Amino acid sequence: MKMELYHTSSAEIESPDVNYGRRNADFGGGFYLSDSLDFVTKWSSERNNCVNRYTLDLTDLKVKRFEHSDEWFDYIANNRVGNKDRFGDCDVIIGPIANDTLYDTYGIIFSGLLTHVDALKLLAVGKEYTQINVKTEKAAKQLTWEGATILQSGEIAKARESVKAEEAEFRNAFNTALEALENADEIDEILG
């Protein structure tokens, strides 16, 4: 199976370095991509205006796929505090991007004050985007650079405006979900 993927940066990256990325990112160290051109365009800026395109051949690679689940939440939380990567033996990790990294709600969601169930409810708020982390040299060899596009200032400005609108929608939905959780806790205390 082949996937068409994108990565935004300040330059063309024909040969990604899987050892360059932060170890405390959602899916551990590696080279992060998305299958959504819309998403990577939203992450662009005047400095990071180069959208690299790749094809990833998953044949014979060990791939771990996540959905929103306790396992996904635990994996992200574990990696973010710098613990050993539980899926370090995988070549590629695919799954949802934790929305808290997009909308700065990390403190609330990973505070330890919420149950896993409540934290997952909050992480499910907003649009879901997928991230693909190429973790090994073996996988990097199966990642083919297809070219790059330099985004123009107008495209970047349009993407930034889209992000602002999406952030406003997210804040409203997140606050509604948080209030619902608080109300549910109050009801549990009354009935408890």
Side-chain angles (χ1 to χ4, degrees):
M1 178 181 148
K2 291 187 178 184
M3 300 179 75
E4 186 172 333
L5 302 172
Y6 307 93
H7 177 90
T8 188
S9 69
S10 60
E12 293 180 356
I13 304 175
E14 293 183 39
S15 301
D17 182 354
V18 297
N19 299 304
Y20 182 74
R22 292 185 358 250
R23 300 279 174 238
N24 65 341
D26 284 358
F27 295 165
F31 185 70
Y32 283 79
L33 304 112
S34 178
D35 60 355
S36 171
L37 178 59
D38 178 56
F39 175 76
V40 298
T41 301
K42 288 177 182 175
W43 277 94
S44 66
S45 65
E46 292 297 329
R47 183 178 174 277
N48 291 316
N49 66 345
C50 185
V51 175
N52 290 273
R53 294 180 320 281
Y54 302 90
T55 301
L56 176 61
D57 183 353
L58 296 173
T59 305
D60 297 325
L61 295 178
K62 184 172 183 182
V63 178
K64 174 66 179 169
R65 291 181 187 269
F66 284 106
E67 301 296 327
H68 278 109
S69 66
D70 282 341
E71 181 185 37
W72 169 77
F73 179 84
D74 288 342
Y75 182 57
I76 290 171
N78 179 71
N79 287 334
R80 287 189 180 179
V81 296
N83 290 334
K84 184 178 179 191
D85 187 338
R86 295 178 190 154
F87 294 103
D89 64 329
C90 290
D91 298 304
V92 177
I93 307 278
I94 300 171
I97 295 171
N99 283 342
D100 71 297
T101 59
L102 305 178
Y103 305 112
D104 197 24
T105 54
Y106 177 86
I108 294 169
I109 293 172
F110 288 96
S111 65
L113 300 174
L114 299 172
T115 66
H116 272 65
V117 171
D118 289 346
L120 279 169
K121 285 178 186 174
L122 292 177
L123 283 170
V125 171
K127 289 186 179 181
E128 184 174 308
Y129 295 106
T130 299
Q131 60 188 341
I132 297 88
N133 185 12
V134 174
K135 297 178 72 66
T136 65
E137 293 294 337
K138 178 181 178 183
K141 288 178 183 173
Q142 292 180 215
L143 185 65
T144 304
W145 186 71
E146 302 293 348
T149 303
I150 302 298
L151 298 174
Q152 301 303 311
S153 294
E155 294 170 294
I156 294 167
K158 184 177 177 182
R160 300 308 313 152
E161 286 302 314
S162 175
V163 168
K164 285 180 187 175
E166 194 173 306
E167 286 174 344
E169 285 177 35
F170 173 82
R171 277 192 299 277
N172 289 334
F174 186 87
N175 289 335
T176 300
L178 193 56
E179 287 171 8
L181 292 177
E182 290 170 358
N183 291 336
D185 287 343
E186 289 171 13
I187 292 169
D188 286 345
E189 284 178 26
I190 293 168
L191 297 176

